[in-house]
Amino acid sequence: MEYAAAEAYDKVDPKQLVALRAQHAWIVEPIYRASDAVLKMPFFSWVSQIQSPLEFKPAAVQLYYHSATFPKVMGLMLALGAMSENSMMPFYAKHAYGEADHHAMLMAWMLKHGLLSSPSEIETVIPTIETNACVNYAYQMAIEQDRDKWLVGLNSGIERCSNDFFKAVVPKLHSVAAGDLYFDVHVEADEFHSIMGLEYIPPHDPDSFRGRQLITKALEGISLWAAMLHSWIGIELFPKFDLNGNLISTDKQVH
């Protein structure tokens, strides 16, 4: 079973990215520090050591659940938006459309490499608590309809971590002859693509209540993402960060 994506992501204007990063350093810099800390955690050592696609199964079957629910959350963000937020409809819709077929691509890859014997086998997989928590983080923001929280939390924080994840996984899978468009498409965008959504919100003083609230929300998402990845390989790990994005604790347990 082969599956091809409909189209790639738009290219990003490098000059616009530089300007956005400078304008929104109040949120971008803490996100980058926290996401860089996640890259040094055990999950990425595990990825570097896998020798076959079958070894990636514990992550792949959980990733399928995340990949299949992610566009639904984006659709909910679009559907619940107030009339006053209609200007955001193209942004939400394009993001949802871009992600909508990714779970099918991942399923095709798992079947091709023998991770699953049939598509229905995925129905026997129970998402980890941490996987559910990461997805529910996005559902909470869709229900709350706070545009700034959504853009810093999901489009900036989670998307940044997701890009880091795929940038680590793609070369490893290609090295074991298991590369695929599903994985490749997630690293086609520029390294800083995740900050593009910030053009829709004003900068905030990081010492103001609203600034601290938004930074906290973005870092919460990164903590949940890291916990989710580690739950896929049997490690309880929940990193916490200060408001500058510096790691302050991990609460790690191995099962």
Side-chain angles (χ1 to χ4, degrees):
M1 178 179 178
E2 297 291 335
Y3 198 94
E7 60 182 54
Y9 292 106
D10 289 341
K11 292 184 179 179
V12 176
D13 181 351
K15 292 182 179 178
Q16 187 180 8
L17 288 169
V18 171
L20 278 172
R21 180 170 182 176
Q23 182 183 26
H24 291 282
W26 63 277
I27 186 71
V28 173
E29 299 310 320
I31 286 173
Y32 282 10
R33 289 189 196 98
S35 60
D36 285 347
V38 173
L39 282 171
K40 300 174 183 177
M41 294 177 186
F43 177 83
F44 291 93
S45 296
W46 176 82
V47 168
S48 70
Q49 295 169 15
I50 63 173
Q51 298 298 315
S52 75
L54 285 174
E55 291 182 35
F56 192 68
K57 181 176 179 177
V61 294
Q62 293 287 326
L63 179 61
Y64 177 88
Y65 178 80
H66 189 274
S67 189
T69 55
F70 204 41
K72 295 178 183 179
V73 179
M74 294 171 192
L76 187 61
M77 188 67 182
L78 170 62
L80 295 179
M83 292 291 284
S84 61
E85 289 287 302
N86 278 353
S87 62
M88 293 298 295
M89 288 174 67
F91 179 82
Y92 297 143
K94 191 169 187 178
H95 198 175
Y97 175 75
E99 298 276 353
D101 61 352
H102 287 178
H103 70 288
M105 297 168 68
L106 179 56
M107 173 60 72
W109 179 83
M110 290 191 289
L111 292 171
K112 177 181 178 180
H113 292 282
L115 280 70
L116 300 177
S117 58
S118 70
S120 62
E121 191 178 340
I122 198 68
E123 298 170 13
T124 67
V125 175
I126 299 174
T128 67
I129 293 172
E130 293 85 353
T131 299
N132 280 328
C134 195
V135 171
N136 289 342
Y137 166 81
Y139 273 117
Q140 177 199 51
M141 290 191 292
I143 295 295
E144 189 175 352
Q145 283 294 308
D146 185 322
R147 183 205 300 185
D148 290 9
K149 283 185 180 179
W150 177 272
L151 292 174
V152 303
L154 194 145
N155 284 92
S156 296
I158 294 291
E159 288 282 16
R160 167 76 175 182
C161 290
S162 176
N163 188 248
D164 284 343
F165 166 83
F166 284 105
K167 284 167 68 176
V169 169
V170 163
K172 170 51 66 172
L173 291 181
H174 277 288
S175 75
V176 296
D180 189 80
L181 180 61
Y182 167 76
F183 299 97
D184 295 347
V185 75
H186 289 88
V187 294
E188 286 181 358
D190 187 277
E191 181 180 1
F192 306 117
H193 195 193
S194 65
I195 72 172
M196 289 302 294
L198 297 178
E199 65 183 319
Y200 296 97
I201 68 173
H204 293 276
D205 179 349
D207 294 322
S208 68
F209 171 77
R210 184 60 166 165
R212 289 184 286 110
Q213 182 186 52
L214 293 174
I215 294 169
T216 298
K217 196 65 183 178
L219 296 177
E220 175 188 345
I222 294 173
S223 294
L224 291 170
W225 175 271
M228 177 181 72
L229 295 188
H230 288 87
S231 74
W232 298 351
I233 59 171
I235 296 176
E236 286 187 22
L237 186 153
F238 189 81
K240 297 178 182 178
F241 305 94
D242 65 22
L243 288 177
N244 290 316
N246 297 310
L247 182 66
I248 54 179
S249 68
T250 57
D251 297 331
K252 175 184 172 184
Q253 293 185 12
V254 181
H255 297 289

